[in-house]
Amino acid sequence: MASGGVFRLCVIVTILAQPAQACTPRSVRARVPVKIDPGYVISQVPLDHCGDVGLRLFSSDPHFTVNTDGTIVVAVVSMVTKTRSFGVWVKAGQGQPQRVDVQLIPDSEQSAPWNQAHKRFKRRWSPVPFNIIENASPPFPKEVELIGSDSSVNYTVYYTIHGPGVDQPPMNLFSVVRETGMVKVHSAVDREQYPKLVFQARATDRVTGKETDRPLDITVLVLDINDNPPTFLGPLEFQVDEQSKPDTEVGVVTATDRDEKGTPHTQIKFSLLTGMQLFNIHPQSGKITTKSGTLDREVQATIPVTVEIRDMNGAKNGLFNTATATVTLVDINDNPPTFTETILKASVAENKADVLILRIPVEDRDEVNTKNWKAKYVIIQGNENNHFRIDTDPKTNEGLLYVVKPLDYEKGKVVALMVSAQNEVPLVNTLTSWNTLPVEVSVGDVDEGPEFFPLNKVIRVKENTPLGTLLGSYMALDPETKSNAGIRYYKVSDPGSWLSVGEATGELKVTNTIDLESDLVTNAMYNITINAVDLSSKSGMGMVTLLIEDTNDNVPELVDQVIVLCEVEGKRGMVTVTAHDADLLPYSTPYNFQLSGESQKKWRLRDAQNVSVVLEQAVDMPRGNYEVEMRITDLQDKGGVQVVTVKVCRCVGGQCVAARSSVGMGAWGVLALLLALAMLLLLCLLFVFACNAKGEKMYTDDFSGGMLLHSNTEAPGEEKSANLLMIPSMGGMDLMDNSAKGTGLLDQNQNMSPGDMNGMSQTMGQQNMYQSSRRDFMANSLHHQNSFYTSGGQYRGSANYSDSLYQKQANFSHFNTWDTNKLYLDEKLDYFGGEMEVCHTLDLPHPYQYEGEGSAAGSVGCCSEMGDQDGLDFLDSLGPKFKTLANICLNKEDRE
């Protein structure tokens, strides 16, 4: 530590003690006008011996500037009433600044002789920057520089300083002698912390206390010394492929120095202290490169290298630092897998498959679990029949030898294999190749069942071969004895039962029709599986494939028997006819289409293709169905006449929409028409019967014949229902019931008069109100027979109103609804025909639910002013058409 301080002190003393080698004159004198305007060139400082590198010039007086060529130029308007001096500082490169005193003499002054001794002038108020050396050694304070003001000529002044380094951080670093202006430094300064300090100086009159000059900025430059060693930047971790060629870049070492840039203090030199036999480093850039191509990861995966960085461009007195850089060698596939054995042997029983028979160990020096290390095994010899497979164990890298296809002892007792061990990627930078290993596989003998040879026998046969035809034989042999003695043959699979197999001989005979067009045939092939069983019950399977040859046993047939021909406006229609033949070439396409019979007059053919032809109208035809006869034959002219039905119609979207308007209705259409006519005839007969019915009528007690319309309205509404005529119930029983007939009421008189009817009604006793009303209705209606019935009991020309009607109806529980209501309608029709202006006399009372007060609908009588919504008045508003119907149905004498 003490030696370092002594060294620094020696350097400072050396710098201060060196005489300045001036490259410029000590002073320059120039005569100028009293008033100098900006741009006026005063003089020029000679710079011939100063060089051109790093030359800087600046003036101590802000009124003047100095160009790089040494020309002194006026910057602002200046008055030179007397000799005026200022300095020009010249700094060349890293040398010390040199001052040139410039004297301006006004034209009014007498110039001094040029050869007289120069008078010493007081330092001007505008000094150049002061310099101090960083980290200067004690004692302190040290004088730095003297400042002075031009006003000191006329005033007695004192000096003060303020700013950074004085009363601002760093505090109390500088001070000034008030009377003389000497600036002093009181402690060492670190240039790396404060490379420059600028504070302000002021000149003040001691008498008045007023400033006699403008404040001046004082700049103090801290000169650098080599007090900081260089330091490394970034991690020192590098990678390079092993076996790399010389001068391959490994990485770059970077460093920095806190000392002043551009000085020898920061000129760093890089060097290696270790690893020089493997690597080089560039002294200025720090780039590390390989020195030879002998880097081997398998020998040393990582290589430490010690790097030194030294400033002063590597001078012995320069400061330095060292660090260890780590170079990692990246693995390449320069080592093939090697076998640990020279030969391997394995054994397996014949007829075994998918079994592991051997593990093959290898070693690889490359990096584990990389593509350079992982082995890949190849059988390069002995596996021509693909009996073996080798996989790689991902954990151990061993080869796993499998038998995937059964071996045959009779064909070979030993199988010799040659196995090669390789990697997933090729070898690099090595002269070695992949290693190989012989492997012997012994096959164990096993008693086996019979074997067919060949395993799949192909027999060509024509379809439709006659039954019983011998196609050949299919026999198996015992692999040990090579004999077929004692072997029996059985079919395992024969979907169509087309062949039989001789149990002892293996003969194949046709037992069923062989059809190429059968669904059991695929690609003209039909398979039969046969099992052979020896005396020890061991068996072997074989297959017979029938390769069926086609014969012309099919003719072309229409694909569609019915086709639609859509009408086209302004032209005759056409349609495509397509045929199909199940046979193969040359017994099928192209087909020959020809019209035959009467079809040739109305149709013609065009644009024939292999399987189709266009059928075109030869004449205009109405819509309808037409049968077209067409002869279709195959390439061998085998075929016949076929009939295709063509529907000529109007189409929408390809669909026929006018089929019902066709001239041909079909059987169902005729039947539907006849059914409609029959129903119309029955309806006419029904109307005739309704209008001319005789007096064999009877009122019934059944309400099912009436019209019941549901309404939730209790007041008069829009709906109307007719009160149909009902006959009274005799003693609570139906008049027509057999029980009523047994009472003898219907047998007493076959011609019952109105009075007798009324008396019979009275003898039944008083029933409820509804029954009484019906009884009164019956009596009243019979009293009107003077107008409705003739003296002979005829109902206006109808049959006698006798008990024969009752006898005929007594076998039924109720009258038919139509028969029951027909009496009522006849009477009402008669009423309308006579245009009676009175209410209907057969006004029946209707039951209503009592709600505790009078109904809002009013009276239900026939003479009610409010009307009766359940009455018969709706018949009065049926209109003229109903009256016309009534007039038609009435007899002629009634209309008169």
Side-chain angles (χ1 to χ4, degrees), residues 698-706 724-737 767-768 770-775 777-778 813-816 820-821 844:
M698 190 67 182
Y699 298 103
T700 181
D701 187 65
D702 190 5
F703 280 91
S704 63
L724 303 180
L725 293 177
M726 303 298 174
I727 63 175
S729 177
M730 300 287 185
M733 294 181 292
D734 197 329
L735 181 61
M736 295 297 102
D737 195 272
Q767 305 295 330
N768 53 32
Y770 183 65
Q771 292 173 335
S772 300
S773 299
R774 287 189 296 174
R775 182 192 62 211
F777 163 77
M778 181 63 71
S813 299
H814 303 281
F815 287 114
N816 180 273
T820 305
N821 294 332
L844 296 179

Side-chain angles (χ1 to χ4, degrees), residues 2 20 94 228 294 325 332 334 427 455 457 506 529 636 660 747:
Q94 300 297 327
N228 291 283
T294 60
I332 64 173
D334 56 342
L427 292 173
L455 191 60
K457 184 174 184 178
T529 306
Q636 306 299 327
R660 293 189 177 181
D747 298 330

Side-chain angles (χ1 to χ4, degrees), residues 571-813:
K571 62 172 66 173
R572 294 169 182 171
M574 62 181 65
V575 67
T576 301
V577 179
T578 306
H580 173 71
D581 192 330
D583 292 328
L584 303 177
L585 289 175
Y587 305 117
S588 56
T589 59
Y591 304 142
N592 181 29
F593 297 88
Q594 293 180 349
L595 294 173
S596 63
E598 295 296 325
S599 301
Q600 302 180 59
K601 299 178 180 179
K602 297 182 178 180
W603 305 90
R604 58 172 169 259
L605 301 178
R606 55 178 291 185
D607 299 336
Q609 303 296 328
N610 280 347
V611 297
S612 64
V613 70
V614 175
L615 179 64
E616 184 182 31
Q617 291 176 329
V619 296
D620 295 333
M621 300 179 186
R623 299 175 186 174
N625 296 341
Y626 299 91
E627 293 184 350
V628 180
E629 295 182 358
M630 187 179 300
R631 186 175 186 271
I632 309 175
T633 58
D634 59 19
L635 187 60
Q636 306 299 327
D637 198 32
K638 184 176 180 180
V641 176
Q642 301 183 50
V643 177
V644 58
T645 300
V646 181
K647 289 186 176 182
V648 180
C649 61
R650 182 174 61 89
C651 298
V652 174
Q655 299 294 327
C656 188
V657 298
R660 293 189 177 181
S661 63
S662 176
V663 295
M665 296 180 60
W668 287 107
V670 175
L671 184 60
L673 182 59
L674 293 177
L675 182 59
L677 292 176
M679 292 181 67
L680 181 60
L681 181 60
L682 290 175
L683 183 61
C684 294
L685 293 176
L686 183 61
F687 273 107
V688 172
F689 176 75
C691 296
N692 298 289
K694 296 182 180 180
E696 298 177 1
K697 301 174 179 64
M698 190 67 182
Y699 298 103
T700 181
D701 187 65
D702 190 5
F703 280 91
S704 63
M707 181 185 297
L708 302 180
L709 302 179
H710 176 74
S711 174
N712 293 331
T713 305
E714 295 184 357
E718 295 296 328
E719 298 175 350
K720 296 180 181 294
S721 61
N723 290 326
L724 303 180
L725 293 177
M726 303 298 174
I727 63 175
S729 177
M730 300 287 185
M733 294 181 292
D734 197 329
L735 181 61
M736 295 297 102
D737 195 272
N738 289 335
S739 61
K741 181 178 179 182
T743 59
L745 295 176
L746 298 179
D747 298 330
Q748 292 178 4
N749 194 349
Q750 296 183 359
N751 262 326
M752 187 178 296
S753 65
D756 295 336
M757 177 63 72
N758 190 21
M760 182 186 67
S761 176
Q762 293 177 357
T763 61
M764 298 299 295
Q766 297 295 326
Q767 305 295 330
N768 53 32
M769 179 181 66
Y770 183 65
Q771 292 173 335
S772 300
S773 299
R774 287 189 296 174
R775 182 192 62 211
D776 295 340
F777 163 77
M778 181 63 71
N780 292 334
S781 63
L782 293 176
H783 281 309
H784 286 81
Q785 288 190 5
N786 292 332
S787 59
F788 291 101
Y789 293 84
T790 62
S791 59
Q794 299 293 325
Y795 180 71
R796 298 299 174 105
S798 299
N800 291 329
Y801 191 88
S802 63
D803 62 343
S804 61
L805 177 61
Y806 290 93
Q807 293 294 337
K808 183 168 61 176
Q809 301 294 338
N811 295 327
F812 299 92
S813 299

Side-chain angles (χ1 to χ4, degrees), residues 264-390:
H265 303 160
T266 58
Q267 292 180 0
I268 301 173
K269 182 179 180 180
F270 299 86
S271 61
L272 296 179
L273 301 182
T274 61
M276 293 84 73
Q277 73 280 8
L278 299 176
F279 303 100
N280 291 324
I281 189 169
H282 193 276
Q284 279 73 43
S285 66
K287 182 173 73 172
I288 300 177
T289 57
T290 59
K291 190 173 185 179
S292 65
T294 60
L295 297 175
D296 191 352
R297 190 203 68 85
E298 287 71 39
V299 175
Q300 186 176 5
T302 58
I303 303 174
V305 178
T306 303
V307 182
E308 180 189 81
I309 49 177
R310 186 183 292 267
D311 60 16
M312 300 297 291
N313 201 19
K316 292 184 178 181
N317 60 347
L319 302 180
F320 64 91
N321 238 324
T322 61
T324 300
T326 302
V327 179
T328 301
L329 300 183
V330 179
D331 184 46
I332 64 173
N333 192 22
D334 56 342
N335 294 283
T338 58
F339 296 101
T340 59
E341 302 289 341
T342 58
I343 186 172
L344 291 176
K345 296 182 179 182
S347 62
V348 62
E350 64 174 335
N351 301 325
K352 293 290 185 180
D354 296 322
V355 291
L356 175 64
I357 63 172
L358 184 64
R359 300 180 74 92
I360 306 174
V362 294
E363 292 181 352
D364 197 317
R365 299 178 60 198
D366 291 322
E367 188 174 357
V368 177
N369 293 326
T370 63
K371 293 182 178 181
N372 302 329
W373 175 83
K374 293 180 181 179
K376 180 179 66 174
Y377 298 88
V378 179
I379 303 176
I380 60 177
Q381 183 178 338
N383 194 30
E384 289 76 12
N385 295 324
N386 298 320
H387 288 280
F388 302 94
R389 181 189 81 240
I390 299 184

